[in-house]
């Protein structure tokens, strides 16, 4: 028995989780539960009746899903992060609430508990933004500006790309182009 539970804050969606892995530890047969309780993912060791886990007995520690004083890494595949509307705008992006982490006994009693500090999410930075001008002659009128960049977030058909040009740098009309 025994389990590890990760509790996500409001706005995260875990119903699409497809895999949970305890990285670097041979934990035997496991299964995971997503959204029980709400917004949590729980990795559970399947108890086969033959494996003994008693941290006080050195010979049986290999039967434990977790060892005392071991730093664990849990990889959860398929989490959807919260939207901007479900978070707080801070410098650099959108801040989540804290995440919770627990280890539980086979009887579902909390053994250890802690919190992970809030995270700051997106917006992601554009990759390799650039601009090309049809003429680089100072004072030239009718110059075409071509902007290129790669985006990291999905852009919906209802979203738009907006390019801001500081008013004091170029004599251009502000514009936005919808996708």
């Amino acid at each position: 028995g025994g389990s590890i539970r990760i509790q996500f804050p409001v706005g995260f969606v875990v119903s699409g989780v497809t895999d949970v892995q305890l990285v670097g530890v041979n934990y035997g047969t496991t299964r995971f539960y997503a959204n029980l309780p709400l917004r949590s993912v729980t990795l559970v060791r399947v108890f086969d009746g033959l494996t003994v886990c008693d941290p006080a007995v050195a010979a049986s520690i290999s039967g434990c899903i977790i060892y005392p004083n071991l730093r664990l890494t849990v990889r959860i595949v398929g989490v959807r992060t919260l939207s901007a509307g479900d978070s707080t705008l801070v410098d650099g992006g959108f801040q989540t609430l804290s995440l919770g982490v627990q280890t539980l006994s086979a009887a579902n009693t909390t053994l250890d508990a802690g919190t992970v500090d809030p995270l700051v999410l997106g917006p992601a930075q554009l990759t390799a933004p650039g601009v090309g001008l049809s003429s680089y002659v100072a004072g030239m009128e009718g110059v075409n500006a071509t902007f290129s960049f790669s985006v990291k977030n999905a852009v919906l058909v209802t979203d738009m790309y907006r390019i801001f040009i500081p008013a004091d740098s170029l004599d251009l009309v502000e514009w936005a182009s919808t996708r």
Side-chain angles (χ1 to χ4, degrees), residues 52-64 67:
V52 177
C53 174
D54 183 352
V57 179
S60 75
I61 289 179
S62 63
C64 299
Y67 308 109

Side-chain angles (χ1 to χ4, degrees), residues 5 8-9 11 22 33 37 58 66 77 83 90 92 126 129 147 160 163 170 174:
R5 177 173 294 148
F8 291 88
L22 188 56
Y33 299 94
I66 54 176
V77 179
S83 68
V90 296
L126 297 175
F147 293 86
M160 71 174 80
I163 299 172
L170 292 174
E174 179 182 334

Side-chain angles (χ1 to χ4, degrees), residues 9 32 46-47 52 67 69 84 91 100 123 164:
F32 70 89
V46 176
F47 181 68
V52 177
Y67 308 109
N69 303 314
D91 187 32
F164 292 98

Side-chain angles (χ1 to χ4, degrees), residues 4-54:
I4 299 169
R5 177 173 294 148
I6 310 295
Q7 182 69 51
F8 291 88
V10 173
F12 280 79
V13 178
V14 298
S15 59
V17 169
T18 58
D19 193 22
V20 179
Q21 305 158 0
L22 188 56
V23 180
V25 177
N26 182 7
Y27 50 90
T29 305
T30 62
R31 64 176 174 259
F32 70 89
Y33 299 94
N35 244 11
L36 294 172
L38 188 63
R39 290 184 314 281
S40 71
V41 175
T42 306
L43 179 66
V44 179
R45 177 164 184 176
V46 176
F47 181 68
D48 59 13
L50 303 173
T51 305
V52 177
C53 174
D54 183 352

Side-chain angles (χ1 to χ4, degrees), residues 32-117:
F32 70 89
Y33 299 94
N35 244 11
L36 294 172
L38 188 63
R39 290 184 314 281
S40 71
V41 175
T42 306
L43 179 66
V44 179
R45 177 164 184 176
V46 176
F47 181 68
D48 59 13
L50 303 173
T51 305
V52 177
C53 174
D54 183 352
V57 179
S60 75
I61 289 179
S62 63
C64 299
I65 187 171
I66 54 176
Y67 308 109
N69 303 314
L70 176 67
R71 182 160 182 83
L72 300 172
T73 300
V74 177
R75 181 178 296 130
I76 302 172
V77 179
V79 174
R80 189 176 83 204
T81 59
L82 74 166
S83 68
D86 290 327
S87 59
T88 302
L89 181 62
V90 296
D91 187 32
F94 300 95
Q95 183 170 310
T96 71
L97 297 174
S98 297
L99 288 81
V101 180
Q102 290 179 292
T103 58
L104 303 155
S105 71
N108 215 25
T109 303
T110 299
L111 300 172
D112 298 299
T115 57
V116 177
D117 290 337

